[in-house]
Amino acid sequence: MNEERTRLWLKLSKAEGVGPAGVLRLLERFDNIESIAGAGKDGLKAVKGIGDKTADSMRNAFDNLSVEEELNLCESRGIGILTFDSPCYPEVLKSTRYAPAVLYYLGDKGKLERLEPSIAAVGSRRCSFYGREQARILACGLGEAGFTVVSGMARGIDSEAHYGALTAGADTIAVLGCGLMHIYPPENKGLFEEIAARGVCLSQFPPETEPRMEHFVPRNKIIAGLSEAVLVVEAGPNSGAIKTANFSSGLGRQVFAVPGRIDSKLSFGSHKLIKEGASLCRGISDILNEPKSAGQPSAEPEKKKEKPRSLFDQGSNEEAIASALAAGEKSSDEIIENTGLNAGEVNSALTWLQMKGAVESLPGNKYKLAGKI
């Protein structure tokens, strides 16, 4: 990382009035960050959309703002800084009007360079059992098919999508609406740590930024920009997931929606998307059979992780859960208590067991064995 160049990008990112579109226009005129930083006020004002106030803010940032404290904080917390001109800045995002000057990350930045094909899986925080189950199973299947699964690590559908991708051993990207020193929602601490270890946690906000309502629309734009397609599993008519789908559609990318109950408010948004032209998703085959412009892998995907070779691998989490269910149906909380596994391990194993047809889900977040062991 070129530290001086990183300093300049950080300063630009903090200048008021310079958004992603402004960054693109500045680079069209000045070619690189050094030239932008060296430009006078009149030169900056020659760029479309930059007036007196924005030009003054930029010059003040370049001339007077210190970013040393933030750089030191990121280094001490293991947070990486990805600038717009970094080789690992995702091309699929850079090609959109939503690409910020700087991204902060925890995890393997190489996964951002190699994330195609990518698909966002999003939906409601207050979701049904059906929605949670479909999000987890679909994301798992997409991960197995070679997709990077992108979501927002929110409660409900987003979390299940991340768990499904992790179950498949696939890459998953969590885009946060706060800085990386905050975990939101707090109960996702384990999920956050697992994604940081096996995928990438990403934010456009400085590390100490607290979660705020106004941060989630910019977060959703980045989710759309990172993804070659968006899958909406369950969403109300005005939810953030619908906004993400609209941002994706505005970029000319494919939108898929999972149907739900016709009398459920949780499905109103999904059904509206389908009515307006989104592709119906009844399973991953509906996504894989779409034209390649929808993000379908063009070749046999690299195998992410070997699947278990037997119904229950000896000594595995699956075997432990199967043994617990042998005594009768149980809720996920009861399985956690009986097996001593954590919530992430139980969710992952239950996903595999359902995909194998070994376990059936029941109303009330309960499970039972589907057949004799």
Side-chain angles (χ1 to χ4, degrees):
M1 179 177 69
N2 184 313
E3 288 194 6
E4 184 53 37
R5 186 173 295 163
T6 300
R7 288 185 179 90
L8 294 177
W9 277 110
L10 280 173
K11 290 180 178 185
L12 178 62
S13 73
K14 298 178 188 307
E16 292 184 12
V18 182
V23 170
L24 290 176
R25 289 195 292 266
L26 284 163
L27 286 172
E28 285 175 1
R29 181 174 180 84
F30 294 104
D31 192 48
N32 56 57
I33 187 63
E34 290 87 355
S35 297
I36 297 171
K41 179 178 176 179
D42 289 341
L44 295 173
K45 286 175 60 180
V47 177
K48 182 180 178 182
I50 294 181
D52 278 329
K53 185 176 179 180
T54 301
D56 284 337
S57 178
M58 290 175 65
R59 285 277 23 115
N60 182 59
F62 285 129
D63 295 339
N64 304 312
L65 182 66
S66 173
V67 293
E68 297 307 309
E69 185 176 344
E70 184 171 304
L71 284 168
N72 292 334
L73 178 63
C74 287
E75 184 177 3
S76 68
R77 295 299 184 106
I79 296 171
I81 301 173
L82 206 62
T83 61
F84 192 88
D85 59 357
S86 166
C88 289
Y89 198 103
E91 287 296 330
V92 67
L93 174 61
K94 186 183 287 189
S95 65
T96 75
R97 56 185 178 273
Y98 302 141
V102 168
L103 289 169
Y104 303 84
Y105 69 90
L106 283 169
D108 179 2
K109 67 179 180 180
K111 293 183 184 293
L112 296 172
E113 190 177 18
R114 305 185 302 269
L115 62 80
E116 293 93 345
S118 56
I119 186 166
V122 295
S124 177
R125 290 170 173 82
R126 295 181 179 179
C127 56
S128 68
F129 175 78
Y130 162 79
R132 289 199 308 271
E133 180 182 54
Q134 292 306 313
R136 200 184 327 152
I137 290 173
L138 287 166
C140 184
L142 289 165
E144 276 294 302
F147 284 85
T148 294
V149 177
V150 182
S151 199
M153 211 186 79
R155 295 181 179 96
I157 298 300
D158 287 19
S159 294
E160 296 297 337
H162 288 304
Y163 277 125
L166 291 168
T167 297
D171 292 338
T172 187
I173 311 296
V175 185
L176 277 62
C178 56
L180 293 173
M181 286 174 58
H182 293 274
I183 298 173
Y184 185 82
E187 64 266 26
N188 272 354
K189 182 175 185 293
L191 178 60
F192 176 88
E193 291 172 348
E194 191 168 2
I195 295 172
R198 296 171 54 188
V200 184
C201 293
L202 199 64
S203 177
Q204 66 178 305
F205 302 106
E208 294 184 293
T209 306
E210 296 184 355
R212 294 178 183 172
M213 186 67 68
E214 61 265 28
H215 294 165
F216 292 105
V217 169
R219 185 276 305 270
N220 292 342
K221 289 179 178 179
I222 291 183
I223 291 175
L226 282 169
S227 309
E228 296 168 283
V230 168
L231 169 64
V232 178
V233 176
E234 195 170 56
N238 299 308
S239 66
I242 300 302
K243 291 183 175 66
T244 302
N246 290 336
F247 294 141
S248 182
S249 180
L251 295 173
R253 296 175 181 174
Q254 183 67 56
V255 175
F256 296 90
V258 176
R261 288 176 55 117
I262 61 173
D263 59 351
S264 171
K265 290 182 179 180
L266 294 173
S267 299
F268 284 4
S270 304
H271 292 163
K272 185 173 185 288
L273 287 175
I274 294 170
K275 187 176 180 181
E276 292 175 350
S279 296
L280 175 70
C281 178
R282 298 158 298 178
I284 64 167
S285 61
D286 284 338
I287 296 173
L288 299 179
N289 291 332
E290 281 288 317
K292 291 176 183 176
S293 60
Q296 181 184 351
S298 58
E300 185 68 21
E302 178 185 353
K303 195 171 184 180
K304 301 281 185 176
K305 182 180 179 182
E306 186 178 354
K307 288 185 179 181
R309 290 181 292 274
S310 60
L311 190 58
F312 306 122
D313 289 346
Q314 187 173 4
S316 68
N317 294 344
E318 296 174 16
E319 184 182 48
I321 291 173
S323 296
L325 291 176
E329 65 183 51
K330 287 182 172 58
S331 67
S332 56
D333 288 340
E334 289 171 329
I335 294 171
I336 291 169
E337 183 178 350
N338 284 194
T339 61
L341 301 172
N342 63 41
E345 291 170 331
V346 167
N347 281 333
S348 294
L350 283 171
T351 296
W352 274 121
L353 291 168
Q354 288 176 84
M355 291 184 74
K356 292 175 178 179
V359 164
E360 292 180 4
S361 61
L362 303 169
N365 198 25
K366 290 190 174 184
Y367 301 86
K368 72 172 185 177
L369 291 178
K372 188 175 180 180
I373 304 302

